[in-house]
Amino acid sequence: MSALTFTPAGIYCPSGDFYIDPWKPVDRALITHGHADHARWGMGSYLATDIAAPVMHHRLGDVSIDTVRYGETLTIGGAKVSFHPAGHVPGSAQIRVEVAGEVWVASGDYKVVDDGLSTPFEPVKCHHFITESTFGLPVFRWQEQAVIAQQINDWWAGCQAAGKTAFLGCYALGKAQRLMSMLNPEIGPILTHTAIENTNAVMRGQGIVLPDTIQAGADFDHKAHPGGLVLAPPSALGSAWARKFGAQENAFASGWMALRGIRRRRAGDRGFVISDHADWSGLLSAIKETEAENIYVTHGYTEIFTRFLNDQGWNAQVLQTEFGGEDAEDEAA
């Protein structure tokens, strides 16, 4: 019997009787991180890292969440389980499952560069590796974070000089906090949509250090804080709330901004190419470092990426899941 199997409810471990990031209600769920396509409501119990649990409670409500530290090994039934840094967002993990000497790693979402906020990605050797492929095309190659930070800060300063408010669309969990750490507060105040500030409060409450921000709620007086940059979920850009700020420029911070067609469809004034998922080179380096014999490719450019891996000598196959990658992170929660 394989250590992990693939079922209509999700990735299942028969020996431990648990699921990893299930998309249907199950009795016991091991969760890689708090984004809504991986941490869903309705499970009997949850297991996640101690860093991920507070945000999961914030998003899921009064649910039962047991916690584990990175690298700590648990025995669940006939399976040995440990959580290892994925570098995607604070608390995100790859889940290692060992049964009778057979080792699987379900990576969830990951990036291999250190963003200065999340615990950096840690390669885990295994026989079977389940990988995302959100950006599994050679066109996706990320620039250094410092370069993107300079681009964003220059744009913000330009908006300020033109008497406009800078609106930067980003996901409420992970991306927003990463961008905050990249902003130069000497330019002006950092303003946040309520959804983002609520997540900030949870992270600050668990000791994660974030820059000072000002919540821009429904009754916010933008005239009292001129020259600011507003971080907001992409769905909030162009809303009635956003229009209250008057003259403004909108930008999106996403890996998808690498594609011109998507930049046009988003109708933003600017697009900054930055992602909390691995780029083409990052995916390949992560897979190589696992030394895995079998690769299972989920959400993203699954067919193309799987074909490339097989051409390069890996034994790869597409794994159909209900994970959504970066699109699924456009949440107001």
Side-chain angles (χ1 to χ4, degrees), residues 5-332:
T5 62
F6 309 120
T7 77
I11 302 166
Y12 179 60
C13 176
S15 295
D17 192 22
F18 61 78
Y19 290 79
I20 297 175
D21 291 353
W23 43 88
K24 293 184 179 179
V26 299
D27 288 338
R28 187 165 197 179
L30 277 58
I31 304 298
T32 59
H33 66 286
H35 281 138
D37 57 327
H38 290 260
R40 302 174 188 242
W41 187 85
M43 311 301 161
S45 67
Y46 298 80
L47 177 66
T49 68
D50 53 344
I51 303 172
V55 166
M56 287 177 56
H57 273 299
H58 167 64
R59 290 177 159 227
L60 298 174
D62 186 18
V63 297
S64 174
I65 304 178
D66 294 322
T67 63
V68 62
R69 296 184 300 276
Y70 285 133
E72 179 183 357
T73 299
L74 304 178
T75 298
I76 304 176
K80 292 181 180 179
V81 175
S82 54
F83 287 56
H84 303 266
H88 176 56
V89 297
S92 62
Q94 305 169 81
I95 299 178
R96 181 186 187 274
V97 179
E98 180 177 351
V99 176
E102 180 182 286
V103 179
W104 288 67
V105 171
S107 62
D109 292 332
Y110 65 90
K111 69 173 180 290
V112 299
V113 298
D114 183 358
D115 63 10
L117 180 68
S118 308
T119 306
F121 178 86
E122 174 187 298
V124 181
K125 290 181 170 50
C126 56
H127 304 107
H128 306 266
F129 185 61
I130 302 173
T131 181
E132 62 152 303
S133 62
T134 304
F135 294 108
L137 290 179
V139 68
F140 295 112
R141 298 179 188 269
W142 312 146
Q143 290 182 293
E144 294 290 333
Q145 181 165 299
V147 174
I148 304 301
Q150 187 63 55
Q151 293 174 1
I152 294 173
N153 284 311
D154 288 347
W155 167 73
W156 178 14
C159 290
Q160 187 182 87
K164 298 178 180 179
T165 300
F167 271 79
L168 185 55
C170 55
Y171 309 124
L173 169 57
K175 180 70 67 63
Q177 293 75 31
R178 180 184 182 187
L179 290 170
M180 286 173 208
S181 69
M182 296 164 56
L183 296 175
N184 178 4
E186 295 182 1
I187 297 174
I190 302 172
L191 314 176
T192 52
H193 184 279
T194 298
I196 292 174
E197 193 57 35
N198 288 342
T199 303
N200 291 348
V202 173
M203 290 188 175
R204 288 186 176 115
Q206 64 186 102
I208 296 175
V209 178
L210 299 174
D212 292 336
T213 54
I214 301 170
Q215 181 175 337
D219 299 323
F220 181 75
D221 180 10
H222 70 278
K223 295 180 181 178
H225 303 279
L229 180 145
V230 184
L231 294 167
S235 58
L237 300 190
S239 66
W241 163 79
R243 291 195 295 271
K244 292 179 181 179
F245 286 77
Q248 60 192 256
E249 285 193 18
N250 292 337
F252 294 92
S254 170
W256 296 117
M257 294 299 102
L259 301 180
R260 294 180 181 177
I262 291 181
R263 287 205 301 270
R264 288 195 298 268
R265 288 197 296 275
R266 287 278 186 151
D269 299 295
R270 284 290 301 271
F272 298 106
V273 183
I274 183 169
S275 177
D276 289 327
H277 295 258
D279 65 0
W280 173 261
S281 299
L283 291 169
L284 295 178
S285 67
I287 291 169
K288 183 177 181 180
E289 287 184 291
T290 68
E291 299 181 6
E293 302 158 10
N294 301 290
I295 311 298
Y296 305 84
V297 182
T298 77
H299 56 297
Y301 292 94
T302 54
E303 297 288 346
I304 297 172
F305 192 57
T306 297
R307 190 179 311 121
F308 177 85
L309 292 177
N310 283 321
D311 288 345
Q312 297 301 307
W314 277 286
N315 180 27
Q317 61 181 282
V318 175
L319 173 59
Q320 297 296 336
T321 68
E322 295 188 16
F323 305 137
E326 193 153 295
D327 284 339
E329 294 156 21
D330 185 1
E331 311 154 348

